[in-house]
């Protein structure tokens, strides 16, 4: 099968039972995406598939022939962090770091959803939502952080979104 | 000159070199040095080491609660493609994890299953998928249990035993509590209950075990305390501790759950030995819930007696807690009750109810976290009964020394925390219960005191300066998200005058000097002091090379300055470099002073008038924990603790089925830890403080202070919002609904 992962072509023949998360971690050697629950309950495994955020533990690798997958490793490197990654460092949007790759990928996908005008449970205007702190918190609630860096995660995302706008 | 400096804290350390360092690193809100690795997915956790020929292990837990195993039917799954073997060792597998800091093996023996989910075998395969499939298919046959299961706390609560004394005595009595209660004009006698809880660190327990050619067992493990974990594991396997090396460079959270060796490490090590190849074993999330460790449920009877002015004459805190047979740990609910408030007549007791549930052990702030839910809600109830402000009540009962031992407090700013917080939070806006409305919400404010005992643990570190003038810190201390990498770098950089980017901190490898490990909020004080002492020694060595007295030496920006000369460290230390070891140990100061960090929590909540739903709207924590080494990471520790407090107050409830001992909610969808939308932008304030009795850094513990009392502030705010006092945690809407005022 063929996948594009972080801009690179990968030919892998996964077991039909292999989740996209395990494909990344165990077969491609990209361990940045984390496994916190393997059940779609924590968000630690969030990656971007064709630009949209997805819990990679909840989708089988074989469903992603030719898909364009972006993991945390594809967003930036330690020496060349993406703006979102740098904002997480600046605002201490993490502690143990285990949920962090998922938070950052999720934040990227989330900002794109807001840009496209997708509403949420807390949006005042369902077709043209404004990115308030409440909106960020709501939309990031699929990503658990047991270290509870939530206020700092919101600070980081707000800053990046503001710079973008 | 000896190149090691040891200190036992028998005396105060009135001066700290951190106050005279010239590098300007201490206290600053510096970014985590390992941050770029973490945010780019390049920090390596236990299951992420790419070892040659690694096999995948998946654990098999018992699907029954009690009974002796008669057969593990391995044959039927061994023929599945990719399966290598099904390994079990009834005598050696760990029945449950060990507690933190112990040097004995965890309780071993899994043939007689003691609780549901006990790990009884490990399936090893060429792929994770094959191992998981086979593990699901393994049938474990068993006899009927010999005794009836004890699955229901309610029916067992009358059968108690007195646990062995631990950090605090199981029972304590002073004066005449009953007499004082009988005489007091204001009395409170209420019982609070808290459920079992799970630390739910985001990284599940994981071990990659590899026996190398030299017969050394290398464990890449998610462990908070490698130096004692190594001893525990060696004993479990019957090998010498020198044959075990634990590597734990990054740990995806612990909160107490990864203090002691857990079943997956023993199983993976045995399987790896038997198969002659590395085995990687990550617990499934359900197994983390079922087969690691919980915080005990508690039933806490609080008795308070006060005179007409509100001065306490009696404090009674009687706790029932639970654990498995043969396990000594008891949740020390009364820990802070021993010293938080003055009162002559006191009883603080803990009794154990034996249940066939998984192990009870440490979870963030064992004792204080749940003990202060009871004590600080009781204080709120008493204040209401007397008709005084709860902050005033705490002022009135502020002791001037330890109320039991009469030793002085090493430092204590509880009332200042309360007063500062009151001002900052707008405490004067607090109205009578049930009287503040905001649309469909009833709004209330609550306050609670925070206290977490300060501890020092033996800890050692080695610090080296190389020919480039760069420093390396080595210890097997860990960073579980606490900021250890950064603060140890700051301490070394400050004392050696080396910029932070030129200090490399190497943690989590038992080949390095044994550190305190992460637990009990002792990490910074203990491990930081060992680094301090090593650097103190290096400063003496450098002073000697400079030919000046250590006191006359200034170290800054990679240079030594003294006697009107400025020489680069690189030049001074030369090709061979310089190194030193430092070691700290607790001493008489522990007994000569009462050491604790203090704080005050303020919460504003909304209670929905229709549904009874509780939302935390604002929270402020004001803390005094000695010197704050890094304002940014310390604040984050407090945010985390406060959020654990939100969970304990409102959502976290590990439910044991009373009929069969099954965990009802063994995953993150059903065990509700706070998510982003549950947590408002929390405020944290630190008060300036130095504690000369604690350690040479003058810093006290901070990691668990934020949780202590936090939930009580929320519970008290709920009461203030709607007039409903819920004493059975968590405060879910069903417990509020009936008591809501008619609208
Ligand atoms: S690992 Fe995928 S959501 Fe938890
Ligand atoms: S940083 Fe530890 S779980 Fe989020």
């Amino acid at each position: 099968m063929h996948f594009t992962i972080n801009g690179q072509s990968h030919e892998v023949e996964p077991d039909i039972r292999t989740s996209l998360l395990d494909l990344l971690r165990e077969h491609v050697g990209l361990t940045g995406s984390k496994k916190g629950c393997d059940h779609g309950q924590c968000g630690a495994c969030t990656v971007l598939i064709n630009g949209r955020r997805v819990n990679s533990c909840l989708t089988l690798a074989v469903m992603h022939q030719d898909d364009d997958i972006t993991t945390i490793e594809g967003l930036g490197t330690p020496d060349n962090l993406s703006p979102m990654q740098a904002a997480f460092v600046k605002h201490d949007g993490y502690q143990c770091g285990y949920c962090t790759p998922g938070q950052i990928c999720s934040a990227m996908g989330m900002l794109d959803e807001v840009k496209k005008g997708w509403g949420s449970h807390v949006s005042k205007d369902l077709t043209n939502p404004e990115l308030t702190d409440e909106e960020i918190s709501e939309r990031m609630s699929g990503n658990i952080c047991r270290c509870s860096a939530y206020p700092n995660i919101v600070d980081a995302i707000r800053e990046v979104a503001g710079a973008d706008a | 000159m000896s190149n090691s400096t040891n200190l036992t804290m028998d005396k105060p350390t009135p001066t700290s070199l951190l106050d005279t360092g010239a590098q300007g690193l201490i206290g600053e809100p510096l970014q985590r040095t390992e941050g770029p690795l973490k945010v780019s997915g390049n920090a390596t956790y236990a299951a992420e080491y790419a070892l040659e020929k690694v096999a995948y292990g998946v654990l098999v837990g018992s699907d029954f609660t009690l009974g002796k195993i008669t057969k593990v039917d391995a044959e039927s799954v061994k023929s599945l493609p990719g399966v290598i073997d099904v390994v079990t060792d009834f005598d050696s597998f760990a029945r449950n994890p060990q507690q933190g800091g112990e040097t004995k093996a965890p309780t071993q023996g899994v043939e007689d299953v003691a609780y549901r989910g006990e790990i009884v075998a490990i399936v090893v395969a060429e792929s994770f998928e094959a191992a998981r499939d086979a593990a699901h298919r393994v049938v474990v046959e068993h006899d009927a249990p010999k005794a009836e299961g004890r699955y229901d706390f309610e029916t067992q609560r009358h059968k108690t035993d007195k646990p062995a004394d631990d950090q605090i005595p199981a029972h304590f009595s002073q004066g005449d509590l009953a007499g004082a209660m009988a005489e007091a004009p204001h009395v409170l006698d209420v019982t609070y209950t808290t459920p079992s809880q799970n630390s739910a660190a985001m990284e599940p327990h994981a071990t990659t075990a590899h026996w190398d050619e030299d017969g050394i067992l290398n464990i890449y493990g998610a462990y908070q305390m490698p130096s004692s974990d190594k001893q525990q594991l060696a004993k479990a396997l019957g090998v010498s501790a020198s044959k075990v090396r634990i590597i734990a460079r990054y740990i995806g959270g612990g909160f107490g759950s990864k203090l002691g060796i857990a079943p997956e490490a023993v199983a993976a090590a045995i399987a790896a030995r038997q198969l002659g190849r590395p085995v990687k074993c990550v617990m499934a999330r359900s197994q983390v819930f079922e087969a690691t460790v919980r915080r005990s449920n508690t039933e806490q009877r609080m008795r308070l007696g006060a005179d007409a002015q509100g001065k306490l004459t009696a404090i009674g805190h009687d706790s029932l807690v639970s654990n498995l047979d043969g396990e000594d740990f008891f949740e020390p609910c009364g820990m802070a009750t021993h010293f938080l408030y003055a009162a002559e007549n006191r009883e603080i007791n803990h009794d154990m109810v034996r249940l066939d549930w998984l192990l009870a052990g440490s979870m963030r702030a064992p004792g204080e976290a749940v003990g202060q839910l009871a004590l600080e809600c009781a204080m709120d109830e008493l204040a209401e009964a007397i008709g005084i402000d709860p902050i005033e009540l705490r002022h009135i009962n502020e002791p001037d020394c330890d109320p039991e031992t009469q030793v002085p407090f090493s430092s204590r700013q509880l009332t200042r925390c309360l007063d500062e917080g009151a001002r900052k939070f707008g405490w004067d806006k607090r109205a009578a219960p049930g009287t503040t409305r905001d649309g469909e919400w009833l709004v209330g404010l609550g306050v609670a005191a925070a206290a977490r005992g300060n501890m020092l643990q033996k800890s050692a570190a080695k610090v080296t300066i190389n020919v480039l003038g760069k420093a390396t810190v080595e210890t097997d201390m860990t960073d579980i998200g606490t900021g250890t990498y950064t603060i140890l770098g700051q301490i070394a950089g400050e004392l050696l005058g080396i910029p932070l980017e030129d200090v490399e901190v190497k943690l989590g490898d038992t080949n390095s000097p044994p550190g305190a490990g992460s637990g009990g909020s002792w990490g910074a004080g203990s491990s930081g002091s060992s680094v301090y002492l090593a650097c103190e020694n290096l400063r003496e060595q450098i002073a000697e090379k400079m030919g000046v007295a250590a006191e006359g030496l200034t170290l800054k920006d990679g240079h030594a300055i003294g006697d009107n000369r400025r020489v680069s460290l690189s030049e001074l230390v030369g090709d061979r470099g310089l190194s030193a070891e430092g070691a700290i140990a607790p001493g008489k100061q522990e007994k000569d002073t009462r050491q604790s960090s203090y704080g005050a929590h303020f919460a504003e909540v909304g209670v929905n008038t229709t549904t009874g739903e509780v939302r935390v709207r604002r929270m402020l924590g004001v803390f005094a924990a000695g010197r704050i080494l890094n304002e940014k990471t310390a604040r984050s520790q407090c945010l985390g603790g406060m959020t654990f407090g939100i969970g304990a107050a409102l959502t976290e409830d590990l439910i044991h089925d009373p009929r069969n001992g099954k965990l009802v909610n063994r995953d993150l969808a059903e065990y509700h830890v706070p998510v982003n939308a549950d947590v408002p932008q929390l405020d944290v304030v630190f008060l300036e403080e130095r504690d000369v009795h604690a350690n040479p850094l003058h810093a006290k513990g901070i990691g668990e202070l934020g949780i202590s009392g936090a939930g009580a502030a929320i519970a008290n705010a709920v009461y203030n919002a709607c007039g409903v006092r819920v004493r059975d945690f968590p405060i879910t809407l069903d417990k509020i609904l009936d008591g809501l005022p008619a609208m």
Side-chain angles (χ1 to χ4, degrees):
Chain A
M1 286 188 67
H2 174 258
F3 308 89
T4 304
I5 306 174
N6 301 331
Q8 287 188 347
S9 249
H10 287 265
E11 302 285 337
V12 198
E13 291 311 313
D15 189 312
I16 51 163
R17 300 167 294 186
T18 303
S19 68
L20 178 59
L21 175 60
D22 287 325
L23 178 93
L24 294 168
R25 285 175 63 82
E26 308 299 341
H27 299 271
V28 183
L30 292 173
T31 55
S33 308
K34 304 302 181 198
K35 187 185 282 190
C37 70
D38 220 7
H39 280 64
Q41 299 169 341
C42 75
C45 62
T46 309
V47 300
L48 299 167
I49 303 180
N50 305 325
R52 282 185 61 182
R53 53 177 174 165
V54 172
N55 284 340
S56 63
C57 72
L58 275 193
T59 188
L60 294 168
V62 291
M63 296 160 69
H64 296 284
Q65 171 78 344
D66 290 335
D67 273 348
D68 193 350
I69 296 153
T70 305
T71 71
I72 190 71
E73 292 95 337
L75 293 179
T77 59
D79 298 327
N80 186 19
L81 298 177
S82 73
M84 187 66 81
Q85 289 170 321
F88 267 66
V89 174
K90 175 178 164 195
H91 292 282
D92 216 34
Y94 59 103
Q95 292 175 35
C96 75
Y98 199 77
C99 75
T100 313
Q103 300 278 0
I104 292 172
C105 287
S106 187
M108 297 308 292
M110 185 273 285
L111 289 183
D112 193 48
E113 290 161 19
V114 174
K115 228 179 241 163
K116 288 187 179 131
W118 298 4
S120 88
H121 164 63
V122 300
S123 306
K124 302 267 178 316
D125 179 344
L126 278 179
T127 54
N128 189 18
E130 196 195 328
L131 199 70
T132 58
D133 283 2
E134 191 189 13
E135 192 75 64
I136 296 175
S137 288
E138 170 66 23
R139 290 169 186 262
M140 291 301 293
S141 282
N143 291 83
I144 296 175
C145 177
R146 184 54 155 166
C147 297
S148 309
Y150 298 130
N152 296 346
I153 290 171
V154 172
D155 286 346
I157 295 173
R158 188 199 309 113
E159 180 175 289
V160 173
D164 237 29
Chain B
M1 186 186 317
S2 151
N3 68 347
S4 76
T5 298
N6 300 343
L7 176 67
T8 301
M9 276 306 286
D10 286 330
K11 293 197 301 275
T13 50
T15 57
S16 175
L17 292 169
L18 294 182
D19 286 314
T20 47
Q23 198 62 31
L25 295 174
I26 294 299
E28 294 301 304
L30 300 179
Q31 298 175 1
R32 286 170 206 258
T33 50
E34 83 287 12
L37 291 178
K38 283 180 174 170
V39 299
S40 63
N42 284 285
T44 313
Y45 298 81
E48 299 174 351
Y49 288 83
L51 301 184
E52 282 287 306
K53 285 193 72 201
V54 70
Y56 292 81
V58 171
L59 300 170
V60 179
S62 69
D63 61 356
F64 54 94
T65 308
L66 292 175
K68 192 168 185 153
I69 297 175
T70 50
K71 185 178 177 197
V72 175
D73 178 21
E75 288 318 307
S76 64
V77 303
K78 276 195 194 158
S79 56
L80 292 172
V83 173
I84 302 167
D85 206 350
V86 179
V87 176
T88 191
D89 179 336
F90 284 159
D91 296 330
S92 304
F93 269 38
R95 181 186 77 166
N96 51 258
Q98 179 56 289
Q99 306 286 352
E102 293 284 344
T103 51
K104 294 189 304 235
T107 304
Q108 289 172 282
V110 296
E111 192 171 14
D112 255 317
V113 167
Y115 62 95
R116 193 177 181 107
E118 183 182 299
I119 301 303
V120 299
I122 181 171
V123 177
V124 187
E126 297 293 347
S127 74
F128 169 66
E129 292 77 17
R132 180 183 55 189
D133 182 18
H136 281 153
R137 294 177 195 235
V138 169
V139 176
V140 180
E141 294 170 14
H142 62 100
D143 282 341
K146 285 198 284 293
E148 212 179 310
R150 298 160 299 177
Y151 309 135
D152 185 5
F153 181 79
E154 281 310 309
T155 60
Q156 300 297 320
R157 59 183 291 287
H158 302 288
K159 296 173 218 159
T160 61
D161 59 73
K162 175 175 174 268
D165 290 351
D166 199 359
Q167 273 181 45
I168 54 170
H171 289 182
F172 173 84
S173 170
Q174 169 183 306
D176 173 13
L177 180 77
M181 287 292 286
E183 276 170 26
H186 297 292
V187 292
L188 183 81
D189 185 348
V190 289
T191 298
Y192 298 88
T193 52
T194 66
S196 295
Q197 297 172 339
N198 186 287
S199 290
M202 288 311 301
E203 177 200 25
H205 290 58
T207 289
T208 307
H210 171 43
W211 298 83
D212 65 22
E213 316 73 53
D214 305 325
I216 304 283
L217 170 62
N218 295 277
I219 290 283
Y220 300 89
Y223 283 101
Q224 297 178 226
M225 301 182 71
S227 38
S228 50
D229 291 324
K230 160 175 139 166
Q231 299 181 54
Q232 296 176 8
L233 184 58
K235 293 220 174 95
L237 299 171
V239 300
S240 130
S242 62
K243 295 277 185 222
V244 178
R245 176 183 182 192
I246 294 183
I247 295 162
R249 299 216 167 88
Y250 294 98
I251 297 139
F255 317 111
S257 69
K258 296 168 181 168
L259 288 174
I261 283 295
E264 100 289 340
V266 179
I270 289 174
R273 178 160 63 186
Q274 197 163 313
L275 303 177
R277 59 190 277 194
V279 171
K280 163 152 77 177
C281 176
V282 182
M283 278 193 169
R285 178 55 64 180
S286 56
Q287 292 170 335
V288 173
F289 277 100
E290 286 188 321
T292 64
V293 58
R294 67 187 164 98
R295 189 203 295 283
S296 173
N297 62 310
T298 72
E299 178 183 310
Q300 303 176 56
R301 180 183 180 196
M302 294 299 318
R303 281 176 290 174
L304 298 177
D307 68 15
Q309 285 73 44
K311 197 158 177 37
L312 288 167
T313 53
I315 298 180
H317 192 167
D318 298 313
S319 301
L320 290 182
V321 301
S322 63
N323 212 338
L324 273 169
D325 278 335
E327 295 293 333
D328 287 337
F329 176 91
F330 67 90
E331 180 75 26
C333 306
M335 188 99 98
T337 313
H338 281 287
F339 60 86
L340 204 40
Y341 303 114
E344 228 156 86
N345 305 288
R346 321 166 66 85
E347 259 181 50
I348 300 165
N349 300 317
H350 303 78
D351 289 287
M352 179 69 78
V353 178
R354 294 291 170 186
L355 292 173
D356 302 310
W357 293 355
L358 75 150
L359 180 74
S362 294
M363 174 169 153
R364 201 171 200 165
E368 279 102 335
V370 280
Q372 274 163 62
L373 283 178
L375 176 60
E376 291 304 293
C377 284
M379 287 295 279
D380 203 65
E381 293 201 53
L382 183 68
E384 164 111 18
I386 302 173
I388 58 176
D389 186 279
I391 295 179
E392 179 60 21
L393 180 64
R394 290 172 174 94
H395 270 279
I396 294 171
N397 291 291
E398 174 72 4
D400 45 25
C401 63
D402 184 284
E404 293 170 6
T405 61
Q406 316 301 327
V407 301
F409 292 108
S410 62
S411 55
R412 172 168 168 137
Q413 298 198 68
L414 172 58
T415 52
R416 253 198 79 202
C417 290
L418 286 161
D419 295 345
E420 287 272 339
R423 206 169 21 253
K424 198 157 189 287
F425 200 68
W427 183 247
D428 54 349
K429 308 256 169 17
R430 178 170 170 267
T435 59
T436 308
R437 268 301 278 268
D438 177 10
E440 58 180 315
W441 299 90
L442 284 164
V443 180
L445 306 185
V447 68
R452 171 65 178 152
N454 184 62
M455 290 179 264
L456 185 66
Q457 295 284 316
K458 269 180 97 145
S459 201
K462 179 179 178 189
V463 182
T464 309
I465 306 175
N466 70 13
V467 64
L468 302 172
K470 299 190 178 193
T472 306
V473 175
E474 290 166 276
T475 164
D476 78 4
M477 176 64 191
T478 50
D479 186 333
I480 61 172
T482 37
T484 318
Y485 277 110
T486 313
I487 60 154
L488 295 188
Q490 288 175 268
I491 293 167
E494 185 71 28
L495 295 188
L496 300 176
I498 297 178
L500 190 56
E501 56 274 19
D502 289 338
V503 183
E504 187 186 6
V505 179
K506 294 182 169 174
L507 299 180
D509 181 345
T510 55
N511 280 357
S512 299
S518 301
S521 299
W522 60 58
S526 309
S527 180
S529 291
S530 68
V531 172
Y532 174 105
L533 294 167
C535 292
E536 186 176 23
N537 185 291
L538 283 172
R539 289 171 63 96
E540 284 158 15
Q541 295 187 45
I542 294 166
E544 194 176 81
K545 286 197 181 289
M546 282 284 284
V548 300
E551 302 74 53
L553 180 73
T554 301
L555 296 174
K556 190 170 188 314
D557 297 334
H559 287 77
I561 305 153
D563 191 23
N564 287 323
R565 281 174 296 134
R566 185 170 186 270
V567 187
S568 79
L569 284 177
S570 146
E571 187 181 318
L572 265 182
V573 307
D575 280 345
R576 294 177 53 203
L578 283 184
S579 75
E581 292 212 18
I584 186 96
K588 293 200 193 90
Q589 284 297 296
E590 246 178 22
K591 289 251 155 31
D592 292 350
T593 58
R594 167 61 79 176
Q595 299 186 15
S596 175
S597 300
Y598 295 91
H601 292 283
F602 292 81
E604 177 183 309
V605 307
V607 178
N608 190 284
T609 49
T610 311
T611 64
E613 179 193 4
V614 178
R615 304 290 301 166
V616 179
R617 295 156 64 112
R618 286 194 298 142
M619 248 180 122
L620 162 69
V622 181
F623 303 108
R627 186 196 307 271
I628 299 301
L629 296 162
N630 180 324
E631 206 269 335
K632 194 186 277 284
T633 55
R635 175 174 174 273
S636 285
Q637 284 290 291
C638 294
L639 296 179
M642 290 160 75
T643 305
F644 264 65
I646 296 175
L650 301 179
T651 59
E652 291 185 39
D653 186 357
L654 194 59
I655 301 169
H656 308 262
D657 191 323
R659 300 164 305 176
N660 53 27
K662 254 191 196 180
L663 272 190
V664 176
N665 50 350
R666 44 172 212 168
D667 63 40
L668 292 169
E670 300 296 331
Y671 181 83
H672 295 148
V673 305
V675 299
N676 203 319
D678 296 324
V679 183
Q681 292 303 93
L682 310 172
D683 247 340
V684 172
V685 172
F686 294 115
L687 297 189
E688 191 65 26
E689 190 176 77
R690 299 283 186 268
D691 194 316
V692 300
H693 303 281
N695 51 56
L697 311 177
H698 300 167
K700 294 187 291 190
I702 191 106
E704 297 164 308
L705 183 59
I707 185 175
S708 305
I714 294 167
N716 294 338
V718 169
Y719 175 76
N720 181 245
C722 66
V724 183
R725 176 62 71 178
V726 179
R727 300 194 186 93
D728 177 30
F729 288 94
I731 307 174
T732 45
L733 55 173
D734 50 303
K735 298 172 190 169
I736 293 178
L737 209 47
D738 284 346
L740 281 182
M743 292 297 160

